[in-house]
Amino acid sequence: MADDKKLTSRAEDFSAWYNEVVLRAELADYAPVKGCMVIRPNGYGIWERMQRALDDMFKATGHRNAYFPLLIPESFLHKEAQHVEGFAPETAVVTHGGGKKLEEPLIIRPTSETIIYHMFAKWVQSYRDLPLLINQWANVVRWEMRTRLFLRTLEFLWQEGHTAHATHDEAEAEARSILGLYRDFQENWMAMPVVTGLKTESEKFAGALRTYSLEAMMQDNKALQAGTSHNLGQNFAKAFDLKFQAESGSMEHAWNTSWGVSTRMIGGLIMCHGDDNGLRTPPRLAPIEVVIVPIWKTDDERGRVIEAAHRLRDELAAWTGRGSTDRLRVHVDAREGMRSGAKYYEWEMQGVPLRLELGPRDLEKHSVFSARRDTREKAPIAMAGVAASVAKILERIQLDMFAAAKERRESHSVRERITYDRFKELMEGEGGFVYAGWNGDPAVEAQVKEETKATIRVIPDAEFRSPDAPATCMVTGQPATHEVVWAKAY
RNA sequence: CGGGACGUAGCGCAGUCCGGUAGCGCACCUGAAUGGGGUUCAGGGGGUCGCGGGUUCGAAUCCCGCCGUCCCGACCA
């Protein structure tokens, strides 16, 4: 890459990022249909690792994978009043098939509640059939007015969980439990801290009783909704006649939840951790955790060094200190005709967390030279016990990346009580998360959005709230019903 | 759909005001030297200057029309 082309993780230069980091790393590309996304084969594979980790977590909590059709009769969407109001404007509609106009148009799913609860209604008769816990990995289409690679594509890949329960409390517990599962994934795998909480009425999912969300802060201090979990109440059960006979003998509507995270998380990862040298991948999600770069001058050195590099690779990959299924993911870059410096930059751009340099000098000293991607710290590591040392560094990187992101978020979170004028100033300038009192009035939300473009991201969960609850609404001065987090969002 | 900008080599751009042989950087190919942080030198390939029309001896450049892309706003995971 040319020196004059500085990369930055800031939003204003995000397109440079796409070209240099994302496209070159083969994560994704533009497709001929504007606003769509391609995940390339032989790609760097971050999404694949995300998918696998989440899938394991769902299975461990009793969820099973299923698959439902892409095409849904338009009438299904109309069965739930709020749902159709929310999604009709952005659905793609299939009107013709087999050369003929269809009697009833089909929509391409923008989400699968309707078709799934239609099927659930046929599957559930008794309370013994509950809870029904399913997940689907699928693509959905939402015809947005404006798209942004990863963050808002026209078609996107996600997982959507859908469950049915016998009671409100059980459904509520499921929605909260998934919120926790997502948080675990985003914080401990993606090293991306999130604020969890409840969405306001105006921001909740179309058709839900309550929507919970996870909000991350990007490096431009804007919020990214990184996932949502909904308690759907009995809204869909009533619309789709999803009923069961209870233990008492009475017929009751089931209680549903739905929840999802998408390829948007890749965008979140990039914008949370990227720096001017490219991507930084947290080790747990890095398809390659360690790259070994052999260094040589003469042919004789070349043979010895490359052999040693492969031996090192084998030793690292064989190490079982992290458990038999979680081996170190190591790559040897022995490409000829490329200087080591050029290799360093390339792997740094792709975000490989740890680089090991191995040359004749290291062989003599029975050590290997390491360089961390996140901090760019460099230090020799003794060959004796090298695998355990490397694993320890990777663990450290994972934790440090999370800590650094959390510190950045906190340093751009305003927790002291500020005036609305000061708030406007902040939103015009540096942005950030502002914790403030709110009188609970949707009109106030609308006014603030109109005047500042900021919205209430969440009514935060207890752990995020201030020790002293705000007494008054920041905007109106009236008594506050909630403490909320205001921010501009993607 | 409104407001703005742009369209020249695979990518990023200059040249357009003021018409006169199609340029630069990166990437690519060949050769040599180099090799612990983006090597250097020499040589080389690659273009319907978005499309169509007009003005002119002559158009990337001026005029008219069309097409496309990006940014900002309304929508949103």
Side-chain angles (χ1 to χ4, degrees), chain A residues 16-32:
Chain A
W17 256 84
Y18 292 156
N19 283 330
E20 291 299 333
V21 179
V22 175
L23 300 186
R24 238 208 260 190
E26 298 193 348
L27 273 170
D29 203 347
Y30 282 111

Side-chain angles (χ1 to χ4, degrees), chain A residues 124-188:
Chain A
V124 173
Q125 272 90 42
S126 152
Y127 71 94
R128 291 196 175 90
D129 297 325
L130 300 174
L132 185 50
L133 309 173
I134 71 108
N135 178 57
Q136 149 167 292
W137 290 94
N139 54 346
V140 291
V141 167
R142 293 182 189 176
W143 216 274
E144 303 290 352
M145 288 171 177
R146 265 181 83 194
T147 58
R148 197 167 178 43
L149 186 57
F150 289 124
L151 300 186
R152 194 176 304 106
T153 43
L154 199 143
E155 175 188 351
F156 60 95
L157 192 53
W158 73 348
Q159 70 53 225
E160 46 177 327
H162 295 270
T163 66
H165 307 264
T167 66
H168 165 274
D169 289 357
E170 217 185 277
E172 176 67 13
E174 167 78 0
R176 297 280 343 186
S177 149
I178 294 295
L179 189 75
L181 184 155
Y182 284 159
R183 183 181 176 190
D184 176 22
F185 176 75
Q186 290 172 355
E187 298 202 326
N188 297 324

Side-chain angles (χ1 to χ4, degrees), chain A residues 91-118:
Chain A
T91 50
V93 184
V94 178
T95 56
H96 289 72
K100 279 188 250 168
K101 189 167 189 292
L102 301 175
E103 233 160 77
E104 181 184 353
L106 300 167
I107 63 163
I108 302 177
R109 61 181 168 217
T111 178
S112 302
E113 274 76 7
T114 58
I115 197 159
I116 289 180
Y117 299 128
H118 171 81

Side-chain angles (χ1 to χ4, degrees), chain A residues 90-402:
Chain A
E90 58 188 56
T91 50
V93 184
V94 178
T95 56
H96 289 72
K100 279 188 250 168
K101 189 167 189 292
L102 301 175
E103 233 160 77
E104 181 184 353
L106 300 167
I107 63 163
I108 302 177
R109 61 181 168 217
T111 178
S112 302
E113 274 76 7
T114 58
I115 197 159
I116 289 180
Y117 299 128
H118 171 81
M119 293 308 296
F120 274 20
K122 297 173 191 290
W123 296 349
V124 173
Q125 272 90 42
S126 152
Y127 71 94
R128 291 196 175 90
D129 297 325
L130 300 174
L132 185 50
L133 309 173
I134 71 108
N135 178 57
Q136 149 167 292
W137 290 94
N139 54 346
V140 291
V141 167
R142 293 182 189 176
W143 216 274
E144 303 290 352
M145 288 171 177
R146 265 181 83 194
T147 58
R148 197 167 178 43
L149 186 57
F150 289 124
L151 300 186
R152 194 176 304 106
T153 43
L154 199 143
E155 175 188 351
F156 60 95
L157 192 53
W158 73 348
Q159 70 53 225
E160 46 177 327
H162 295 270
T163 66
H165 307 264
T167 66
H168 165 274
D169 289 357
E170 217 185 277
E172 176 67 13
E174 167 78 0
R176 297 280 343 186
S177 149
I178 294 295
L179 189 75
L181 184 155
Y182 284 159
R183 183 181 176 190
D184 176 22
F185 176 75
Q186 290 172 355
E187 298 202 326
N188 297 324
W189 287 74
M190 295 174 66
M192 181 174 80
V194 288
V195 175
T196 60
L198 186 68
K199 283 288 192 190
T200 61
E201 281 300 299
S202 65
E203 296 269 330
K204 78 175 186 189
F205 177 76
L209 200 60
R210 280 190 285 280
T211 290
Y212 297 104
S213 92
L214 306 100
E215 301 286 328
M217 186 191 284
M218 302 293 101
Q219 291 187 56
D220 58 356
N221 304 334
K222 281 169 82 174
L224 182 77
Q225 181 173 310
T228 47
S229 179
H230 317 290
N231 181 340
L232 302 175
Q234 292 176 306
N235 293 343
F236 285 89
K238 285 177 179 163
F240 289 88
D241 206 27
L242 166 51
K243 287 188 290 200
F244 67 98
Q245 191 163 21
E247 217 172 340
S248 64
S250 63
M251 291 302 292
E252 292 177 18
H253 284 108
W255 298 80
N256 297 114
T257 79
S258 72
W259 26 276
V261 292
S262 73
T263 38
R264 168 178 264 199
M265 288 192 298
I266 302 173
L269 190 83
I270 293 170
M271 293 179 78
C272 181
H273 295 307
D275 66 14
D276 289 351
N277 296 301
L279 194 59
R280 296 191 305 165
T281 322
R284 292 183 84 180
L285 284 177
I288 297 173
E289 291 172 286
V290 181
V291 64
I292 301 173
V293 180
I295 293 159
W296 68 83
K297 273 192 224 142
T298 64
D299 270 357
D300 173 55
E301 283 174 352
R302 178 177 165 277
R304 278 165 45 223
V305 159
I306 288 182
E307 200 211 323
H310 284 113
R311 263 208 315 277
L312 176 59
R313 194 254 331 264
D314 292 345
E315 182 179 343
L316 294 176
W319 187 71
T320 54
R322 280 199 317 205
S324 57
T325 54
D326 187 20
R327 299 301 178 84
L328 289 163
R329 299 179 295 281
V330 189
H331 176 76
V332 176
D333 184 0
R335 281 176 296 178
E336 309 257 358
M338 193 173 176
R339 290 167 84 106
S340 41
K343 291 180 184 177
Y344 300 164
Y345 277 90
E346 193 179 300
W347 290 113
E348 275 172 14
M349 189 164 66
Q350 295 203 15
V352 174
L354 188 68
R355 181 179 72 242
L356 297 179
E357 304 167 17
L358 193 62
R361 297 211 294 262
D362 304 289
L363 292 186
E364 272 167 41
K365 288 184 286 185
H366 302 288
S367 71
V368 61
F369 199 70
S370 72
R372 278 172 64 153
R373 174 63 183 89
D374 63 329
T375 57
R376 304 195 109 201
E377 273 173 79
K378 292 166 191 176
I381 303 175
M383 273 297 186
V386 65
S389 309
V390 163
K392 205 168 165 192
I393 294 171
L394 291 170
E395 232 169 88
R396 191 74 252 161
I397 293 174
Q398 183 78 37
L399 294 173
D400 286 353
M401 284 181 72
F402 176 73

Side-chain angles (χ1 to χ4, degrees), chain A residues 470-485:
Chain A
T472 57
C473 171
M474 174 180 72
V475 182
T476 63
Q478 292 166 353
T481 54
H482 303 91
E483 180 177 38
V484 297
V485 178

